[in-house]
Amino acid sequence: MAQQATEKSLGTIFGEIDSKWQKKWHDTQLFRALSPKEAGTKPKFYCLDMFPYPSGQGLHVGHPLGYVASDILCRYKRMRGFNVLHPMGWDAFGLPAEQHAIEKGIHPAITTERNIQTYKRQLSALGLSYDWSREINTTDPAYYRWTQWIFKKLYERGLAYQAEVAVNWCPALGTVLANDEVIDGKSERGGHPVEKRPMRQWVFKITDYADRLLEGLDRVDWPESTKELQRNWIGKSVGAKIHFPLQNDSSKTLEIFTTRPDTLFGVTYMVVAPEHPLLERLVTSEQAAKVKAYVDEVAKKTEIQRADATKEKTGVFTGGYVLHPLTQKPVAVWVADYVLMGYGTGAIMAVPAHDERDRAFAETFSIPIVEVITEEGKLTGSPGEFQNLNGLAAADGAQKICDTLQNKGLGQRSTTYRLRDWIFARQRYWGEPIPVIRVMEGPDAGKVRLLDDDELPLTLPRVESYQPSGTGESPLATVNEWVNVKDPVTGAAALRETNTMPGSAGSSWYFLRYMDPHNAKEPWSKEAEAYWGPVDFYLGGPEHAVGHLLYSRFWQKVFFDMGLVTHDEPFQKLFHQGMILGEDGEKMSKSRGNVVNPDDVIAQYGADTFRIFEMFLGPLDKAKPWQTANIEGTYRFLGRVWRFFTDGEGKLSTKIQDLPETQWPDAFRITFNRTIEQVTRDVESLSYNTAISALMVLMNEAYAAFGDAAAIPRYFAEVYTKLLSPLAPHLGEELWELLGHDLSVAYEAWPTFDKTKTVSDSVTIGVQVNGKLRDQIEILRSDSEDKIKELALSSENVKKWCEDKQIVKVIYVKEKIVSVVVK
Ligand code: ANZ
């Protein structure tokens, strides 16, 4: 009993094992990736996690799902001989830290630092094998110096320009708001009205790369759904621009964009967007009041609300007409909000017979519907001199119509993209300063000048107040001593740019910095990139499908054009982990009270239990609810493993001995080899839940085969430890050490299996006498044909049917049947 009282609980033992190995890994820098020189001929594997924004809340159990999953893969790859790069860092600029600063008066740099420490502690507690020597932080001037350098390079290549862009301006709050801070035209905080206001902004010409961004998708191993989201976001449409002269002023034309020039003779009305510049010319005095009321109404809606195809169509007739370019018939022009100013030309030719939105509109307003394409997809109803088009396939008809329009100077083929240029400015404090000044006086007044490389980093001034400036400008605009500078060329007064970069700046190239994180001369060396690029495996949530993943691809292509990288696609394989839901099946959130903290689970059961439990919840890419009750099952499994190989207290079991495989029970040997095969395959395909269940089955069979026996084979113990170690690395290391090894299991060779041993030695075959099955016998595959025939003939049942007969022939069909012919 006394002993019982001092006996440690399994959870305590696991906790001690966790700390012991985490410390060793840290102290020996076990997971430091080798430099290209050190690596020699070792193949590389670059495995990247989407780096987190270190929020004040710390990790919840949903975060580690992806981190643990990629960690298992990295640990496996190391055992397969790869030089693995598995880095982690912090995407730490952003609004929440700034908001926190405004409310609590604590500088964002301080909260960020604090949050990073929490995240790092939590990640380390999970036993993740990061190379912490490569840690990066986007808010570190040593890092954002290069983000600013990249801005300069884009500018020098003509890919950055300034434009007046509409922003969400909230007069009551005196600030510009991000799109997601505006809900139904009101500020999220306070519910104040928000209006669009044009402001001068930096913009990147991502549209120059639209075709290459599309094409590259065909060359990467990404989820099809994510590729499709990017394709739709880029939204390439091939069609034509067609000019419709105004009826009352033929010197002016209304230009439209269509993907269906083949339907030109089916046009029954036109629509212009409420913001269209020609609207004023088109509106007649009778319709003016109605149109104005409508336009004012629409101004309150967001683009998303306007583009909603399911909503009822609204619009007003302008009173004006344009002329059909080929028939010269007048066509009525309407104004309606389902046409967006930001797409195509902001005006359409409406063909209600062949376009659903137009049909809904025409039906609402009793506008004629004229069919011009048959069900077989052929042109019909083309009038007058164009009758010869009838019967043509639509695609051919479209070509003919485009040719005709082009000849008459009334249109041209045109390709449009949904993709917009990337607005690269925020009216915020907590972001990277943009490295430019604007000259305010003298001969160069109005000119923009880039900072010299040796002026970088342009650091954020440490200010006491982050209050919005009240003019819509960034809070930096109020820091006079920072803003007012002299132009180094002319000595004239100049102003710094006070907008900062958006949150996506630092994350658009961080994967390159990890390759060479301490380089003070360049953002990364060519040598490092040539070795590590591209990222082999990228794991993160699907919410970044367009933003981050598109911006990074754009920059990578620019770097490629500059000769700075060797690949023009940054992420070869991409995987999205599913979400872990609360126990109630709902999204985890503080307000619902269903958030689980990983720290608590680890404190009670150890990190390995946590890791295996999360991987065992279900397929990695699926959403799945957390199930606290099932942690016990995982915990018991690891307890069984622990007690099988040890005395339960931390000494190796004395039963572990050298016992050749030939002396293992046949069935166990087969399961053993099959498990190696399956775990290998499953880990490679990230099917960790099935790998774990295979290891559970093997442990059960090990208990059955050796639990009561005098010996446990050492070879089995070693292989099992290796198979388990990527999933449960702390236990893996501890067992490996107990088995007498000085070096970490992390770089041991992954077990191989013998394919021939995955099938049983013995097999049951039938014995026929004159074509009728008379018995079944068990043979060994290794038995000779003679021996098998002898076994068959000596069976009692067979003997009975051969009695008093003459055996004419005995035929053996390998591992299937012995056939005896008698007469
Ligand atoms: C006539 C037509 C006939 C059209 C037909 C479609 C079908 P995608 O493929 O998405 O590029 N359109 C053009 N500009 C628009 C705008 N600013 N706002 C709303 N709709 C606009 O769509 C191109 C089609 O969307 C164009 O082709 C145009 O309608 C409409 F049977 O022109 B179509």
Side-chain angles (χ1 to χ4, degrees):
M1 278 316 274
Q3 206 192 342
Q4 279 273 311
T6 57
E7 206 172 82
K8 282 183 204 160
S9 80
L10 191 60
T12 310
I13 295 175
F14 282 175
E16 288 170 2
I17 295 178
D18 285 356
S19 324
K20 168 180 165 184
W21 289 102
Q22 284 166 17
K23 181 165 184 322
K24 274 208 174 164
W25 295 335
H26 175 267
D27 293 349
T28 57
Q29 291 214 350
L30 191 69
F31 303 113
R32 189 180 67 83
L34 300 179
S35 71
K37 267 201 207 86
E38 293 168 311
T41 56
K42 251 186 178 238
K44 65 97 183 182
F45 186 72
Y46 183 179
C47 177
L48 182 67
D49 288 319
M50 287 187 185
F51 66 164
Y53 172 79
S55 81
Q57 269 107 57
L59 293 183
H60 68 59
V61 290
H63 292 112
L65 182 71
Y67 300 151
V68 170
S70 59
D71 189 64
I72 295 167
L73 187 65
C74 288
R75 288 176 175 273
Y76 166 77
K77 288 283 184 182
R78 287 192 196 96
M79 295 176 82
R80 284 254 120 150
F82 286 86
N83 179 25
V84 172
L85 172 53
H86 188 36
M88 186 36 89
W90 318 105
D91 188 15
F93 274 131
L95 199 52
E98 181 168 338
Q99 219 72 316
H100 190 80
I102 292 172
E103 282 155 27
K104 302 268 160 66
I106 305 174
H107 195 279
I110 295 169
T111 43
T112 298
E113 193 48 44
R114 206 183 279 161
N115 297 345
I116 286 176
Q117 291 320 319
T118 306
Y119 268 63
K120 212 169 158 177
R121 179 183 55 70
Q122 290 186 301
L123 291 178
S124 301
L126 289 163
L128 302 171
S129 62
Y130 292 123
D131 177 354
W132 284 111
S133 73
R134 292 172 187 258
E135 175 180 356
I136 58 175
N137 173 347
T138 55
T139 66
D140 179 353
Y143 179 87
Y144 69 67
R145 160 190 183 174
W146 297 112
T147 312
Q148 291 171 334
W149 181 88
I150 291 166
F151 177 93
K152 285 185 60 183
K153 293 296 151 193
L154 268 88
Y155 181 86
E156 285 163 3
R157 294 181 72 81
L159 290 169
Y161 64 96
Q162 293 191 84
E164 294 272 321
V165 180
V167 296
N168 303 307
W169 168 248
C170 178
L173 294 176
T175 180
V176 169
L177 298 173
N179 278 338
D180 56 345
E181 296 172 296
V182 183
I183 294 165
D184 293 336
K186 301 238 164 70
S187 64
E188 188 186 15
R189 274 194 314 142
H192 306 291
V194 174
E195 56 192 48
K196 291 277 180 192
R197 170 195 271 203
M199 276 189 65
R200 198 182 46 87
Q201 311 265 3
W202 283 99
V203 185
F204 279 147
K205 276 194 201 162
I206 189 173
T207 50
D208 273 12
Y209 282 73
D211 276 323
R212 286 171 63 188
L213 287 166
L214 276 177
E215 179 276 323
L217 291 173
D218 298 335
R219 292 182 279 119
V220 290
D221 181 5
W222 284 24
E224 204 41 53
S225 54
T226 303
K227 289 190 187 185
E228 209 41 36
L229 279 171
Q230 291 217 348
R231 289 193 187 106
N232 290 338
W233 190 260
I234 297 167
K236 181 174 184 172
S237 293
V238 179
K241 283 189 177 156
I242 304 178
H243 311 292
F244 288 70
L246 303 201
Q247 187 184 37
N248 56 7
D249 178 1
S250 59
S251 71
K252 292 231 147 38
T253 63
L254 178 64
E255 192 184 30
I256 63 94
F257 171 74
T258 178
T259 47
R260 297 291 306 275
D262 52 305
T263 63
L264 183 56
F265 295 112
V267 174
T268 56
Y269 67 104
M270 311 288 289
V271 184
V272 295
E275 303 84 358
H276 199 281
L278 276 182
L279 179 58
E280 241 172 82
R281 284 198 80 87
L282 286 157
V283 178
T284 56
S285 46
E286 299 86 72
Q287 292 298 95
K290 261 192 175 171
V291 168
K292 182 170 184 314
Y294 181 72
V295 170
D296 288 347
E297 192 53 40
V298 173
K300 295 181 194 145
K301 296 190 200 169
T302 66
E303 284 220 347
I304 295 167
Q305 290 170 325
R306 285 174 54 174
D308 181 359
T310 58
K311 78 171 174 59
E312 217 181 298
K313 295 281 171 292
T314 61
V316 176
F317 175 43
T318 63
Y321 290 84
V322 293
L323 301 178
H324 191 283
L326 297 184
T327 66
Q328 282 77 46
K329 284 210 184 110
V331 189
V333 183
W334 290 64
V335 54
D337 66 356
Y338 77 96
V339 171
L340 304 175
M341 194 58 223
Y343 186 65
T345 64
I348 65 160
M349 63 179 212
V351 186
H354 304 292
D355 181 279
E356 267 179 51
R357 290 167 305 174
D358 297 348
R359 177 180 288 271
F361 190 88
E363 280 169 355
T364 308
F365 296 102
S366 307
I367 298 170
I369 299 174
V370 176
E371 200 165 309
V372 289
I373 305 287
T374 66
E375 269 179 25
E376 297 79 47
K378 301 218 156 75
L379 263 63
T380 181
S382 308
E385 57 180 297
F386 302 103
Q387 279 178 29
N388 60 349
L389 294 174
N390 292 328
L392 276 186
D396 299 331
Q399 295 309 325
K400 285 261 152 61
I401 289 174
C402 282
D403 289 341
T404 310
L405 288 167
Q406 212 145 338
N407 289 338
K408 293 179 188 267
L410 287 166
Q412 70 277 344
R413 289 182 176 80
S414 166
T415 301
T416 298
Y417 299 87
R418 213 162 272 282
L419 182 68
R420 294 280 85 96
D421 276 341
W422 175 12
I423 300 174
F424 198 74
R426 298 290 179 270
Q427 294 71 41
R428 296 290 175 188
Y429 168 73
W430 192 232
E432 299 89 344
I434 295 175
V436 301
I437 58 169
R438 194 149 38 98
V439 182
M440 298 309 288
E441 56 183 25
D444 285 354
K447 264 204 185 148
V448 162
R449 206 145 1 243
L450 291 176
L451 298 194
D452 277 341
D453 282 357
D454 59 20
E455 292 176 88
L456 303 185
L458 169 61
T459 50
L460 257 182
R462 193 87 176 208
V463 299
E464 294 313 318
S465 156
Y466 320 94
Q467 297 302 327
S469 68
T471 60
E473 287 178 289
S474 146
L476 285 177
T478 62
V479 190
N480 289 328
E481 59 287 6
W482 185 81
V483 170
N484 294 301
V485 289
K486 286 258 175 298
D487 171 25
V489 179
T490 61
L495 292 178
R496 287 198 194 285
E497 169 66 61
T498 55
N499 282 341
T500 53
M501 297 189 195
S504 40
S507 59
S508 293
W509 73 283
Y510 76 114
F511 47 94
L512 291 161
R513 186 65 178 172
Y514 281 139
M515 298 175 182
D516 192 11
H518 307 294
N519 195 331
K521 292 198 218 80
E522 313 156 280
W524 60 86
S525 75
K526 282 193 178 168
E527 185 204 16
E529 191 282 332
Y531 178 77
W532 287 115
V535 172
D536 296 287
F537 185 84
Y538 195 16
L539 195 122
E543 64 277 11
H544 299 289
V546 282
H548 159 62
L549 288 168
L550 195 66
Y551 298 141
S552 308
R553 294 183 59 227
F554 164 49
W555 277 20
Q556 178 85 4
K557 285 175 196 305
V558 177
F559 301 150
F560 181 78
D561 292 349
M562 292 168 67
L564 293 175
V565 297
T566 50
H567 296 81
D568 74 341
E569 282 293 334
F571 315 120
Q572 185 45 40
K573 186 178 166 93
L574 174 71
F575 193 94
H576 299 305
Q577 78 274 21
M579 201 186 311
I580 293 194
L581 306 170
E583 194 120 24
D584 51 5
E586 302 286 337
K587 204 176 152 167
M588 277 195 193
S589 75
K590 254 198 176 163
S591 58
R592 260 202 205 91
N594 59 357
V595 174
V596 182
N597 185 332
D599 295 354
D600 301 340
V601 180
I602 293 173
Q604 194 174 348
Y605 302 101
D608 290 336
T609 302
F610 180 84
R611 290 168 63 110
I612 294 209
F613 166 73
E614 281 218 343
M615 294 304 109
F616 200 50
L617 280 174
L620 187 57
D621 58 347
K622 298 284 179 307
K624 50 224 162 225
W626 178 262
Q627 298 157 331
T628 300
N630 289 1
I631 297 176
E632 290 287 341
T634 310
Y635 182 57
R636 274 198 301 276
F637 160 60
L638 289 179
R640 266 164 78 72
V641 173
W642 176 243
R643 284 188 303 270
F644 191 70
F645 296 120
T646 71
D647 65 354
E649 307 262 325
K651 286 212 188 64
L652 190 69
S653 163
T654 49
K655 280 171 70 178
I656 291 185
Q657 287 163 30
D658 290 331
L659 188 69
E661 232 181 311
T662 47
Q663 289 175 31
W664 300 6
D666 200 37
F668 180 77
R669 194 172 34 76
I670 292 164
T671 310
F672 172 79
N673 278 286
R674 281 188 188 158
T675 306
I676 302 175
E677 183 181 23
Q678 189 187 339
V679 172
T680 305
R681 195 180 50 225
D682 287 350
V683 168
E684 288 201 353
S685 62
L686 307 172
S687 187
Y688 299 136
N689 56 331
T690 53
I692 293 164
S693 71
L695 286 168
M696 288 174 167
V697 169
L698 183 60
M699 190 38 46
N700 287 343
E701 294 209 9
Y703 267 93
F706 305 112
D708 296 327
I712 294 171
R714 166 175 293 273
Y715 179 60
F716 163 67
E718 301 213 324
V719 169
Y720 197 89
T721 300
K722 285 186 187 178
L723 293 178
L724 186 67
S725 66
L727 296 148
H730 309 84
L731 191 53
E733 292 277 27
E734 185 68 14
L735 289 175
W736 191 246
E737 188 182 65
L738 290 175
L739 284 162
H741 302 280
D742 292 339
L743 295 176
S744 162
V745 71
Y747 292 94
E748 286 296 325
W750 184 252
T752 52
F753 61 96
D754 188 340
K755 185 81 192 169
T756 62
K757 289 183 192 155
T758 60
V759 287
S760 172
D761 273 356
S762 62
V763 56
T764 304
I765 64 169
V767 185
Q768 291 181 340
V769 179
N770 283 357
K772 285 217 169 70
L773 186 67
R774 296 304 182 189
D775 203 0
Q776 301 211 326
I777 57 167
E778 193 168 303
I779 59 153
L780 292 177
R781 287 174 210 275
S782 51
D783 288 341
S784 70
E785 190 167 331
D786 284 347
K787 173 152 188 215
I788 293 165
K789 285 179 180 171
E790 202 184 300
L791 274 172
L793 292 173
S794 60
S795 125
E796 288 304 320
N797 271 340
V798 175
K799 272 193 198 153
K800 206 165 68 194
W801 292 98
C802 298
E803 239 167 19
D804 307 327
K805 306 250 168 64
Q806 190 194 339
I807 294 173
V808 184
K809 237 196 281 182
V810 181
I811 305 158
Y812 171 55
V813 183
K814 194 171 180 219
E815 290 172 18
K816 292 222 162 60
I817 211 150
V818 176
S819 184
V820 185
V821 183
V822 295
K823 76 169 182 200

